[in-house]
Amino acid sequence: MVTTSKKSERVPSANLNRRVERSRHAILTTAFELLSEGGVASFSVDEVARRSGVAKTTIYRHWPTREALVIDACSRMIAEQETPDTGSLEGDVTAILVEIAHLLPTANWSFVLPSIVDTAERNPEFAEIHSRIQRGHAAPLREVLQRAVGRGELSAHADVSTIVAALLGPLFYRRWFSREPIDDQFVKAIIKRVLASL
Amino acid sequence: MVTTSKKSERVPSANLNRRVERSRHAILTTAFELLSEGGVASFSVDEVARRSGVAKTTIYRHWPTREALVIDACSRMIAEQETPDTGSLEGDVTAILVEIAHLLPTANWSFVLPSIVDTAERNPEFAEIHSRIQRGHAAPLREVLQRAVGRGELSAHADVSTIVAALLGPLFYRRWFSREPIDDQFVKAIIKRVLASL
């Protein structure tokens, strides 16, 4: 009898899980859409509920606060970038930076990121998630630099964190601050300068 | 009679001008204070009126929209940076970047800027004011680079805009993206790399 009871509970529970998964997915997709449109400031759980068709009570069951939902949606925002392996540091760095340069003017996360940066100024929880997103951004670059150290192409004393800032900083500067175009010529000039100085 | 009439009008008009100037100043100071606290998103004319003690109708007489007031307050935000003249490109660049590095973690505009960047993503008027703020930021750097060209220390073909991005980008990257410390060692490493590559 115990077995039967367990079995009869399992079927609805599996359905329930699928349903929960579906509504979680719908909520996150809508949350991401809203963030892309208006940033963190104008983001509301009411609007997520309205657009996704999922009840607010259900949303709050999964994410206890508006902040928790924003943070979860943000952290799924940036697609994992594959780490290239061209055999040389210059080839690897070029592959990564050219891809970022192409994404910066077009990708959804590129429009949402300033809103996260802004929120992070006043909210330590956001600052933490933002650091995590940024570490994800920089991870492939760190990996190819470490690999170059392994090959002896780069000194083991090289300051990887400074090199990452020297490579990504100028691209980010043009995207969000000077608002100048990030063309291949610019990207290659930056790479050439940084690698020449190693 | 005409003269007398004109004279009698001039005195109240001068008083009026002083009063107008005083209330403009109070409004802009309060607007800047509010922007520093909560960024562009939570900025409201109601709150400016409440805190400054100036009537909303008066505020709207000077700035027809909330956006106009925000933009005016933002554009007065960044203190003019003096252009150093140490006699060498390295000395000048170091003086400028060390000052920016010290301001980035502390200055009010540094906390407000992400909010302007974010608003600029969705508002072309803000994008324009933001570009202007950024050109102001970069002006002393451009000036010392041009001066170095004049002295023959830097090639006349040098791409000043790329050099500015290579110098400021890494500092901005650490301040707003990776949130790592911007110490003198980092600033000097960036300068050394960029100048060595010229």
Side-chain angles (χ1 to χ4, degrees):
Chain A
M1 230 159 89
V2 172
T3 313
T4 314
S5 152
K6 266 194 181 159
K7 206 179 172 183
S8 69
E9 272 165 8
R10 216 177 289 137
V11 180
S13 145
N15 281 340
L16 183 68
N17 282 343
R18 267 201 300 279
R19 223 166 49 226
V20 166
E21 236 356 276
R22 261 206 308 275
S23 74
R24 278 185 69 91
H25 183 77
I27 296 162
L28 281 170
T29 306
T30 309
F32 182 67
E33 220 176 79
L34 271 181
L35 285 170
S36 307
E37 286 171 21
V40 178
S42 65
F43 181 91
S44 80
V45 174
D46 281 307
E47 185 61 14
V48 175
R50 204 189 60 75
R51 284 208 200 177
S52 67
V54 178
K56 254 175 83 175
T57 47
T58 308
I59 299 177
Y60 280 120
R61 210 175 302 134
H62 295 298
W63 295 273
T65 61
R66 168 187 177 273
E67 276 62 39
L69 176 53
V70 171
I71 284 172
D72 203 1
C74 287
S75 61
R76 287 160 199 244
M77 201 168 62
I78 297 189
E80 295 274 313
Q81 207 188 350
E82 271 186 49
T83 306
D85 194 358
T86 65
S88 80
L89 179 58
E90 188 178 347
D92 288 350
V93 168
T94 303
I96 292 172
L97 260 68
V98 164
E99 192 185 336
I100 293 180
H102 289 167
L103 288 172
L104 279 173
T106 55
N108 264 338
W109 55 256
S110 171
F111 293 93
V112 180
L113 204 52
S115 154
I116 299 172
V117 172
D118 179 38
T119 311
E121 290 292 324
R122 279 170 286 275
N123 184 328
E125 210 181 340
F126 261 86
E128 178 43 41
I129 188 75
H130 177 224
S131 303
R132 222 182 315 151
I133 291 178
Q134 195 47 50
R135 279 197 294 278
H137 242 318
L141 214 43
R142 287 183 174 271
E143 196 181 325
V144 303
L145 288 165
Q146 294 298 358
R147 221 194 275 139
V149 172
R151 275 197 307 261
E153 220 184 322
L154 185 64
S155 155
H157 303 295
D159 182 349
V160 170
S161 153
T162 300
I163 302 171
V164 167
L167 287 168
L168 291 182
L171 276 65
F172 282 29
Y173 178 81
R174 285 211 161 176
R175 169 64 182 86
W176 288 295
F177 297 91
S178 74
R179 298 182 172 271
E180 293 163 280
I182 311 167
D183 50 31
D184 282 358
Q185 201 194 334
F186 172 74
V187 174
K188 281 177 183 152
I190 293 298
I191 296 171
K192 208 178 135 199
R193 274 173 207 290
V194 173
L195 296 191
S197 73
L198 293 180
Chain B
M1 231 160 87
V2 172
T3 313
T4 315
S5 152
K6 265 192 182 162
K7 206 177 173 187
S8 70
E9 271 166 9
R10 218 177 286 137
V11 179
S13 146
N15 281 339
L16 183 68
N17 281 344
R18 267 202 299 280
R19 224 169 46 227
V20 166
E21 238 353 279
R22 260 206 310 275
S23 75
R24 278 185 68 91
H25 183 77
I27 296 162
L28 280 169
T29 306
T30 309
F32 182 67
E33 218 177 82
L34 271 181
L35 284 170
S36 307
E37 285 172 23
V40 179
S42 65
F43 181 91
S44 80
V45 174
D46 281 307
E47 185 61 13
V48 175
R50 204 190 60 76
R51 284 208 201 176
S52 66
V54 178
K56 251 174 86 174
T57 46
T58 309
I59 298 177
Y60 280 120
R61 209 176 303 134
H62 294 297
W63 295 273
T65 61
R66 168 185 176 273
E67 276 64 37
L69 176 54
V70 171
I71 284 172
D72 203 3
C74 287
S75 60
R76 288 159 198 247
M77 200 166 64
I78 297 189
E80 295 273 313
Q81 207 187 349
E82 270 186 51
T83 306
D85 193 359
T86 64
S88 79
L89 180 58
E90 189 177 347
D92 289 349
V93 168
T94 303
I96 293 172
L97 260 67
V98 163
E99 191 185 338
I100 293 180
H102 289 168
L103 289 172
L104 279 173
T106 55
N108 266 338
W109 56 257
S110 172
F111 293 93
V112 180
L113 205 53
S115 156
I116 299 173
V117 172
D118 180 37
T119 310
E121 291 292 324
R122 279 169 286 276
N123 183 327
E125 210 182 339
F126 261 86
E128 178 43 41
I129 187 76
H130 177 224
S131 303
R132 223 183 315 153
I133 291 178
Q134 195 46 51
R135 278 197 296 277
H137 241 319
L141 214 42
R142 287 182 174 273
E143 196 180 326
V144 303
L145 288 164
Q146 294 298 357
R147 220 194 275 140
V149 171
R151 276 197 307 262
E153 219 184 324
L154 185 64
S155 156
H157 303 296
D159 182 349
V160 169
S161 152
T162 300
I163 302 171
V164 167
L167 288 168
L168 291 182
L171 274 66
F172 282 30
Y173 178 82
R174 284 212 163 175
R175 169 63 182 85
W176 288 295
F177 296 91
S178 74
R179 298 181 171 271
E180 292 163 281
I182 310 167
D183 49 32
D184 282 358
Q185 200 194 336
F186 172 73
V187 173
K188 281 179 184 152
I190 293 297
I191 295 171
K192 207 177 136 200
R193 273 172 207 289
V194 173
L195 296 190
S197 73
L198 293 181

